[in-house]
Amino acid sequence: MTKTSFTIDAMHCGACTGRVERVLMGVPGVQQASANLMARTASVEFDAPATPANLVAALDAAGYPATMGTARLDIEGMTCASCTGRVERALNALPGVTTATVNLATQSAQVDYVEGTLAPRDLAEAVTAAGYPARVKDQGDTPAPVAQRQAAEASHLKRQFLIALALSLPVFALAMGAHLIPGLHHLIAATIGERTSWWIQMGLTTLVLAFPGRMFLRIGIPALVRGAPEMNSLVALGSLAAFVFSALVTIAPELIPASARGVYFEAAATIVTLILLGRWLEARAKGRAGEAISRLIGLQPKTARVQTPNGVEERPISALTTGDILLLAPGERVALDGVITEGAGHINESMLTGEPIPLSKSEGDKITGGTINGEAALSYRVTATGGDTVLARIIAMVEQAQGAKLPVQALVDRVTRVFVPAVMVLSLSTFAIWLLAGMGFTHAFVAAISVMIIACPCAMGLATPVSILVGTGRGAELGLLFRRGDALQRLAEVTIIGFDKTGTLTQGKPALSDLLPLADLSETQILALAAGAEARSEHPLARAILDAAAARDIPHAPVKRVKALAGMGLRAQAEGAMLWLGNTQAMAQAGADIAPFAAQAEALAAKGRTPVWMALDDKPVALMALSDPIKPEARAAIDALHRAGVQVAMVTGDTRATAQAVADTLGIDQVEAEVLPDGKRAAIDRLRAHGPVAFVGDGINDAPALAAADVGLAIGTGTDVAIEAAQVVLMGGDPQGVARALTLSRAVMANIKQNLFWAFAYNVALIPVAMGVLVPFGGPGLSPMLAAGAMAFSSVFVVSNALRLRRAAR
């Protein structure tokens, strides 16, 4: 029986508590549920098949969501897929944990849990108790990117490898020299003698195992005792078996049959040395895999010059607050996000957008920390510090994506859960089979050790996360932020991509191109009324009308009771009449007959312009047209997607004629026009008939479609609402970023498949070789030293293959 409790803030009365209790009792496996209105908690006792995750899901579905928390843990000692599986099981066993994702490449875990049942420190303690020291990563921690952690680990492993190498070389020379150099065996026998040689080898191998090799024994043996063997357990068993048997032959030879009195100190020492070499090379490669985040962190200056009443002071970034006025010298990096208060110049934002052309900035314009100032001296006011800056949020997004687990990882998890125990069984079986076959103790013993050493769950564990690590880092360099790691896999699978029009394929800065009075109002009167009504609107089309009125110095007419009509326009009270401004649907709601002017509207729409009608009460008084220039890069973006074999659609609220004109210009395959904001979700569902669909948008009205699509891509120049709804953020406004994101996602998935094929094929092929199955009967199989070298190479191969993604999507 498991007990847990949930904090439920949505309970407000006795009826709520009854509802919560009934919902929980309806979950199979729940034995008892009790809700407390005063404490706003629910206590549950349950058995399988109930889990905290499906209890939370039941509460969510009933409208009483449990209060959830998320914690990130930094974990030490994980070396293979078996380790990550064991850590995940330790976390998921805790009552209150709903999901736990452990990443071998980043040595971290992300845990979603029910607040009130656990504290983050409980999570860290559970992982530590499982044999992997863990600590909670505080939100305020200075980011410690993978590259930095791997660099420290690589430095430590290099020292251990060099020590092991220095100690192992004499052992190897004494043991193997006789086979490599004619006459050396007789020289050793005639000088120090074979027994003395064994004692020297045993002493040096003892030092190898006690110092450089201690890491394998310290982690592997306790894991074995707990009944949860992993990669270190295999190495520890293999090297200790060789060492202990050889030590017995050296110390008490009478205990061993004369025919089996051989020593394998060189195998024990060389196994540790070669695997340390592999771990060192792997750590170096994984460090390079995380360099993108290190470079992002390195973009922020350490200090900045602050304008104070007493003059200019240089202060550390950590001491700055919002509102501080900072001075920016030519060529200097912007310290924090801010708004220019004095000066004008150009800012290179390539670190954000991947676009190399500097942007013109002047007073009132926003600038971002980490970007580079041009040749002008500027002053700016700080608007964000610490974790609120764009750079910090980018780093957090990428780190979160790098810690994700893709659906393709599920197969690996199932295999690695039983991999190490299966290898140990195979090793014992190999020993027994060769012994029973009459090949002698020595042959059987060497084959058994080789099986344990050659097996490599490390490669399987690294195959997916290291590719995600490099791929998301490469994306950050290109201005492509994968907010969720699984978006990498889903984007690679899409067959149709839908685009919003305004601000995505077009500049998003419409201008008034036509104004046709339809009644006895002048152009000045029409613009005055329109500007008065649009003055409080944030819509891009409103800005075009306001700009047109301002250009002619036309004052806004007094209007009141302005009400936006979603997807249609607006209405307001003006000069004793109801003013209607918007599309044909707005006119229909006003009861205005626009049929006599339909031909004029269609002619404007055929040119790619957006007709906007104005009516007073039910009388049409004006037809305006707004033109939003197509982005220069839009055609190239659509062409690139077509070359990638993807269909392209456009989903817009514009009239069909206007939308079709834009679609014809750009070569778009399918058009969903005159779509209201709440209809974009249905439009996505219609597009899904062609297969998995992605949607690209930038506005608040795009948020439902971004969330409904299999993958939502938000243009980074758009609204925060759109960015929050999307899984991928294109930091620049260039729609070609969509094609780059698709190319990158496909490259990452291809890389993952290559790594998984290698990891599985390696083990499937070489474990039988080590057993001696694939060599002639009575053949030697693989020596433990060659097995150790092969195992080390396997992990290095997987990481090196993933590093090729650093050149992807150029």
Side-chain angles (χ1 to χ4, degrees), residues 144 174 229 327 362 371 381 398 412 438 450 459 471 494 501 558 561 632 650 680 700 706 775:
L174 288 170
L327 304 182
S362 58
T371 55
R381 183 181 72 256
V398 178
V412 180
S450 295
V494 300
K501 181 178 78 72
R561 292 197 289 275
M650 185 169 67
K680 285 193 173 182
I700 292 174
L706 288 167
V775 294

Side-chain angles (χ1 to χ4, degrees), residues 609-650:
R609 299 171 187 175
T610 302
V612 178
W613 300 89
M614 179 188 287
L616 289 174
D617 290 330
D618 59 355
K619 181 180 179 182
V621 297
L623 171 60
M624 294 174 277
L626 305 177
S627 176
D628 186 5
I630 294 173
K631 290 181 177 179
E633 312 89 354
R635 179 71 201 210
I638 304 303
D639 290 345
L641 291 173
H642 282 152
R643 288 194 298 273
V646 174
Q647 292 188 60
V648 181
M650 185 169 67

Side-chain angles (χ1 to χ4, degrees), residues 525-569:
Q525 290 173 308
I526 292 168
L527 275 178
L529 286 168
E534 298 281 20
R536 298 179 212 171
S537 175
E538 295 296 326
H539 198 283
L541 300 182
R543 176 51 51 191
I545 292 172
L546 293 171
D547 289 345
R552 302 188 192 186
D553 292 326
I554 297 174
H556 299 179
V559 298
K560 54 186 178 181
R561 292 197 289 275
V562 177
K563 181 178 181 181
L565 306 173
M568 293 186 287

Side-chain angles (χ1 to χ4, degrees), residues 706-730:
L706 288 167
D710 295 287
V711 183
L713 298 96
I715 298 291
T717 52
T719 65
D720 288 343
V721 175
I723 290 172
E724 285 301 315
Q727 291 87 48
V728 184
V729 179
L730 314 178

Side-chain angles (χ1 to χ4, degrees), residues 129-413:
Y132 303 91
R135 74 172 189 90
V136 179
K137 184 174 183 179
D138 296 329
Q139 295 295 324
D141 281 356
T142 300
V146 172
Q148 290 182 7
R149 295 199 299 271
Q150 294 294 353
E153 182 185 357
S155 178
H156 171 72
L157 288 170
K158 179 182 179 181
R159 287 194 301 272
Q160 298 302 306
F161 162 68
L162 292 176
I163 293 170
L165 180 64
L167 293 170
S168 299
L169 282 176
V171 178
F172 185 84
L174 288 170
M176 303 301 293
H179 302 288
L180 301 175
I181 303 172
L184 184 58
H185 176 75
H186 297 293
L187 178 62
I188 292 173
T191 53
I192 61 175
E194 185 177 59
R195 299 272 308 164
T196 304
S197 170
W198 289 357
W199 279 99
I200 293 172
Q201 292 178 48
M202 187 176 76
L204 292 171
T205 304
T206 301
L207 293 175
V208 170
L209 293 175
F211 295 100
R214 184 172 54 192
M215 59 183 292
F216 303 113
L217 307 180
R218 178 175 51 82
I219 299 172
I221 298 303
L224 190 63
V225 171
R226 288 194 301 269
E230 37 93 272
M231 184 64 231
N232 292 293
S233 302
L234 295 179
V235 177
L237 279 177
S239 56
L240 276 180
F243 175 79
V244 170
F245 176 78
S246 302
L248 279 175
V249 171
T250 303
I251 298 170
E254 65 277 3
L255 298 178
I256 308 297
S259 61
R261 288 176 190 169
V263 295
Y264 304 97
F265 291 118
E266 82 287 352
T270 308
I271 286 169
V272 170
T273 303
L274 288 176
I275 294 177
L276 281 172
L277 172 62
R279 293 271 177 95
W280 169 40
L281 296 176
E282 180 186 317
R284 284 183 60 196
K286 286 195 290 187
R288 290 199 296 275
E291 281 177 355
I293 295 301
S294 295
R295 285 195 292 270
L296 282 176
I297 291 173
L299 292 176
Q300 189 177 57
K302 304 299 181 187
T303 61
R305 291 175 298 124
V306 187
Q307 182 69 59
T308 71
N310 300 323
V312 178
E313 297 179 6
E314 187 158 337
R315 296 178 183 172
I317 297 298
S318 58
L320 300 178
T321 60
T322 55
D324 284 344
I325 301 297
L326 306 185
L327 304 182
L328 188 61
E332 188 178 14
R333 282 197 183 274
V334 180
L336 294 168
D337 297 358
V339 175
I340 295 176
T341 57
E342 184 179 346
H346 290 80
I347 300 290
N348 184 338
E349 296 186 342
S350 60
M351 53 76 64
L352 284 179
T353 64
E355 299 168 5
I357 301 174
L359 299 180
S360 177
K361 301 283 185 178
S362 58
E363 290 184 19
D365 287 339
K366 296 179 180 179
I367 56 176
T368 306
T371 55
I372 302 174
N373 185 24
E375 298 178 354
L378 306 174
S379 298
Y380 65 100
R381 183 181 72 256
V382 175
T383 57
T385 61
D388 296 327
T389 64
V390 170
L391 184 58
R393 286 160 57 198
I394 288 174
I395 292 168
M397 280 185 194
V398 178
E399 284 191 331
Q400 184 174 5
Q402 289 179 339
K405 180 171 286 189
L406 270 59
V408 73
Q409 181 74 11
L411 172 63
V412 180
D413 292 343

Side-chain angles (χ1 to χ4, degrees), residues 119-131:
R121 66 175 179 276
D122 299 325
L123 305 172
E125 288 172 359
V127 175
T128 301

